[in-house]
């Protein structure tokens, strides 16, 4: 990926960053890069994620999924980082089978998914790092019962990705399920380039080796200056803009296949950087659709936003037919991709024209190598922002309270958090 | 719907609103209510949207769609407000046919959609208020050619919803297509309860009469005090919190069927209120999924957020099977809905425990009547915030620049905006 930060300079935008400030920030980028490289060399917690392109073993993933043959459908059971990487890669690169993600516990939806899937031809991909995630385990129990009731041997059709021990590992051992490891030192949201994110795309016919190769190429571009490294240029400019009041970062790919990528980015950014009173708010958007939904706010609302565009240079061709209506004649014969490119150029310029900052991430096209580079680049950018902000990008302590409360409410043990739920304040307004 | 604002009071949260401040704000709510009622009585632009529950004509919608019989699939061609209302209602209440929305112009996706649909059994729903929206018209031209190439008479299978005149109206006249009007004085994002939003659900087997009845009941609850009117309670508390620094509003339904509703809300809020340097930023979230993605930021990031929960009291039942693993025994025999309810209660309490404001919107269940009430209530809340903020909630001037630039770039006329695109600033960082 390449990154263009021209529209985030103070010569264009307010808030914006001056060239001088960027030069000064670059000293801090150099020191952060040293810290990151030291963490990678020692395989320290979190930093280890940036070594996945070299360490990941696509052959082990293939060996686990190949015995499943060519299923017609795939259901992935996982939540948060255990689903978003897999969904991002599969949605971006296209699946040659039907895919469903059980990443929630809504009974209305799970019934509908199980009714729709051809269970005897469906593979099951279960992912939980800890092996204790209530939503994922509950869903898996429902899924395996549905398979059993349909007379389908679920043990033959299941791949489990989990840590060394825990209830899910126990279940996998007990039923002799195919099992892949979650790599040590890699938080869920940084695990797209491990079995956590690669099993589903491998089953869906995606070139996972190409994804890893693209990530590897991006990893080789990490360097001690934001002016030499697209990933660090992106991280540094978002950090500098956040310091100047652009606390919201709207991630707006101009490619529908990257809609899920924006979800993945939002988790990466929010959970890694939202702590200690700090952290910008990621907003998921999609071009051109959200021009008709969010652009009014981005262009004319408060000056608290950065818009990040992700734009492929090449798209498939699809011509717009000529029409008999004069007022539409200008569309006839143009490509649909040409229209989308024009919408992007117009939107980017419309923000610049009123001094609103934006950054452009450029991909050659949406393919395995470019996607791998994008995911790796955003992870490296996120780690850099963690260093610059002085927060630990690799923990998520604020999520634990609600997990304990949930468990307590369901009778899974004594937790003081569950008691706090009962004492809530109420001011109801009823119809 | 009922609304509970207890967790947004300053006795619980910071930022939060004191009872005293709410009492003072209520005087302004009373005056705003008078202005809104006067606007409704005169059918003024925008305010007219709040009369749709009484004015909409479901029989006309039925008459337009009934001749299509029982298609197996439905493709809706529209963007922004011309798609989100239809998708929200259909996704919330369930479709008895396959649905696809062409709400973007990505050639990669449109090809995939057209390949997938059984064209000879597919209905086409085209929606554009102005009849000139480039994305929608281009997509419709592509769709009708695909139907023609497949030997399917698209004119027999198409329903058009558009204004009185314009290129789409011309096309509809020329081919004698079934056609429904966009009501006067109703901006796209406020048109869910008109043919714009009702054609697709009607084709999908949804009880649109029930949706309108629910909206009507909500409209009858509008009253001159936030303490008596759930919609105004919601609008007033979001306004007061925004004034106190909670400039981000995360809309987080705990029902997967309401995921699209959060998108609809985000357009309503952003496009209506994001102007003149004002306007909170809506963020689309989903419980429980986003507990594993965004909750870390909401609970421990900057104090610039309100979280709005939407929670149904009743859900379908689906029991979690018993398991052979001790550590999971607490889940066995519980309902999946019970788990989701516990996740919600825990998340709400986890925010209150650290003094982060939230508001709870309660529905009896996700059904036609409750959904109609929710959509109407949020529209009324939005109009109230417009009044309190002193902005015109019914225009979207900042969207026009990019539309003209796009048209200019494609050779559809001379527009100075298109020239501004060429002069862009660049600072590229390449790999």
């Amino acid at each position: 990926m390449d990154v263009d930060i021209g529209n985030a300079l103070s010569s264009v935008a307010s808030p914006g960053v001056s060239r001088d400030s960027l030069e000064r920030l670059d000293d801090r980028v150099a020191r952060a890069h040293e810290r990151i490289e030291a963490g990678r060399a020692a395989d320290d917690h979190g930093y280890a994620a940036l070594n996945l392109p070299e360490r990941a073993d696509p052959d082990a993933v293939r060996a686990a999924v190949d015995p499943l043959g060519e299923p017609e459908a795939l259901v992935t059971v996982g939540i948060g980082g255990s689903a978003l990487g897999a969904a991002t890669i599969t949605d971006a690169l296209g699946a040659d089978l039907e895919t469903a993600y059980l990443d929630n516990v809504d009974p209305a939806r799970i019934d509908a998914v199980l009714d729709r899937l051809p269970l005897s031809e469906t593979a099951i991909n279960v992912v939980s790092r800890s092996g204790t995630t209530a939503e994922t385990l509950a869903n898996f129990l429902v899924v395996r019962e549905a398979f059993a009731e349909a007379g389908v041997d679920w043990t033959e059709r299941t791949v489990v990705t989990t840590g060394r021990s825990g209830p899910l590992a126990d279940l996998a051992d007990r039923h002799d399920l195919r099992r892949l490891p979650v790599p040590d030192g890699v938080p869920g949201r940084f695990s797209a380039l491990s079995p956590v994110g690669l099993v589903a795309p491998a089953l869906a016919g995606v070139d996972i080796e190409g994804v890893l190769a693209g990530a590897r190429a991006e990893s080789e571009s990490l360097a001690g200056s934001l002016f030499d490294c697209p990933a660090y240029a992106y991280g540094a400019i978002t950090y500098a803009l956040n310091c100047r009041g652009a606390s919201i970062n709207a991630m707006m790919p101009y490619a529908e296949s990257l809609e899920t990528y924006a979800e993945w980015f939002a988790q990466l950014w929010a959970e890694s950087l939202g702590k200690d009173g700090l952290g910008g708010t990621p907003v998921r958007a999609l071009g051109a659709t959200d021009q008709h939904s969010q652009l009014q706010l981005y262009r004319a609302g408060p000056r608290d936003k950065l818009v990040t565009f992700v734009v492929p240079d090449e798209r498939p061709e699809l011509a717009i037919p000529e029409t008999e209506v004069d007022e539409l004649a200008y569309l006839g014969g143009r490509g649909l991709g040409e229209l989308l490119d024009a919408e992007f150029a117009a939107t980017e310029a419309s923000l610049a024209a009123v001094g609103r900052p934006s950054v452009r991430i450029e991909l050659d096209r949406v393919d395995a190598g470019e996607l791998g580079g994008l995911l790796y680049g955003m992870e490296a950018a996120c780690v850099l922002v963690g260093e610059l902000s002085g927060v630990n990008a690799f923990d998520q302590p604020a999520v634990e309270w609600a997990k304990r409360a949930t468990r307590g409410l369901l009778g899974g043990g004594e937790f003081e958090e569950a008691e706090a739920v009962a004492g809530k304040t109420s001011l109801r307004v009823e119809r």
Side-chain angles (χ1 to χ4, degrees), chain A:
Chain A
M1 68 180 200
D2 299 325
V3 171
D4 196 319
I5 60 175
N7 280 327
L9 297 176
S10 57
S11 55
V12 173
S14 171
V17 188
S18 70
R19 266 312 282 240
D20 272 4
S21 292
L22 277 179
E23 302 279 357
R24 281 189 293 272
L25 182 58
D26 205 34
D27 292 340
R28 293 177 59 200
V29 170
R31 287 197 299 278
H33 176 61
E34 284 172 22
R35 172 71 194 91
I36 292 168
E37 289 302 303
R40 289 180 66 189
D43 253 334
D44 285 341
H45 181 73
Y47 300 99
L50 296 180
N51 293 330
L52 282 175
E54 289 85 43
R55 304 277 169 82
D57 182 357
D59 296 341
V61 173
R62 297 273 181 215
V65 308
D66 282 350
L68 298 181
E70 298 195 348
E72 287 174 20
L74 166 65
V75 58
T76 295
V77 186
I79 193 165
S82 294
L84 280 170
T88 294
I89 297 171
T90 310
D91 290 353
L93 301 176
D96 61 10
L97 46 60
E98 187 176 354
T99 56
Y101 296 86
L102 295 181
D103 61 350
N104 208 339
V105 283
D106 192 324
R109 166 149 154 90
I110 288 172
D111 255 354
V113 167
L114 290 172
D115 277 354
R116 195 184 74 213
L117 294 175
L119 300 189
S120 64
E121 303 298 330
T122 296
I124 307 172
N125 173 35
V126 190
V127 188
S128 168
R129 184 191 170 69
S130 66
T132 62
T133 311
E135 296 93 329
T136 300
L137 274 295
N139 280 337
F140 181 42
L141 295 176
V142 170
V143 165
R144 71 174 197 174
E145 184 171 78
F147 275 65
E149 280 178 0
V152 181
D153 181 359
W154 60 272
T155 65
E156 279 304 303
R157 322 194 57 74
T158 300
V159 180
V160 167
T161 303
T162 190
R164 291 172 202 275
S165 60
L168 185 55
D170 289 354
L171 262 177
D173 286 348
R174 199 177 290 232
H175 296 282
D176 203 19
L177 306 179
R178 288 175 192 88
R179 183 169 153 198
L180 286 160
V182 177
D184 289 333
V186 177
R189 58 191 174 277
F190 285 92
S191 66
L193 301 170
S194 81
V196 172
L198 295 175
V199 168
L203 275 162
V206 164
D207 172 18
I208 59 171
E209 293 79 6
V211 172
L212 288 169
R216 217 151 35 233
E218 198 70 35
S219 77
E220 286 157 12
S221 80
L222 296 188
S225 166
L226 72 93
F227 298 105
D228 297 331
C229 169
Y232 289 163
Y234 183 70
I237 200 77
T238 62
Y239 168 77
L241 284 167
N242 192 351
C243 293
R244 287 158 178 78
S247 58
I248 295 168
N249 183 354
M251 177 56 70
M252 192 172 186
Y254 269 75
E256 272 195 270
S257 61
L258 295 178
E259 191 169 9
T260 312
Y261 152 78
E263 299 265 346
W264 172 87
F265 173 85
Q267 185 200 11
L268 179 72
W269 225 245
E271 213 165 45
S272 301
L273 304 172
K275 47 197 65 159
D276 215 10
L278 299 173
T281 297
V283 172
R284 308 155 241 196
L286 180 67
T289 306
D290 278 317
Q291 290 176 223
H292 298 264
S293 167
Q294 302 301 303
L295 184 58
Q296 168 70 36
L297 173 68
Y298 296 170
R299 191 167 194 261
R303 290 184 177 272
D304 57 1
K305 291 174 199 70
L306 158 69
V307 179
T308 300
F309 299 109
V310 183
V311 191
D313 283 345
E314 286 172 30
R315 303 180 188 277
E317 292 195 6
L318 183 63
I320 304 170
E322 305 286 347
T323 162
E324 64 276 32
V325 178
D326 283 348
E327 217 181 314
L328 303 176
Y330 75 99
L331 292 171
R334 297 282 182 171
L336 214 50
E338 210 178 336
L339 172 56
L340 187 54
D341 287 338
E343 299 274 2
F344 159 67
T347 298
E348 184 185 55
S350 86
L351 293 173
V354 291
R356 307 288 176 133
S358 69
V359 170
R360 185 167 68 251
I361 297 175
E362 299 172 10
L363 308 180
D364 293 341
R365 65 197 75 74
V366 180
D367 66 9
E370 291 289 290
L371 181 72
L374 176 66
L375 298 182
Y376 188 92
M378 290 297 111
E379 291 183 10
C382 181
V383 174
L384 178 76
V385 178
E387 301 292 331
L388 295 174
S389 309
V391 301
N392 177 353
F394 305 122
D395 64 358
Q396 55 285 332
V399 182
E400 298 306 319
W401 198 100
K403 283 189 187 174
R404 285 190 299 272
T406 300
R407 195 164 168 141
L409 288 173
L410 293 173
E414 295 290 322
F415 296 94
E416 61 182 358
E417 290 85 354
E419 275 144 54
V421 174
K424 65 187 170 196
T425 308
S426 181
L427 174 53
R428 280 175 66 91
V429 181
E430 299 183 13
R431 214 155 81 180

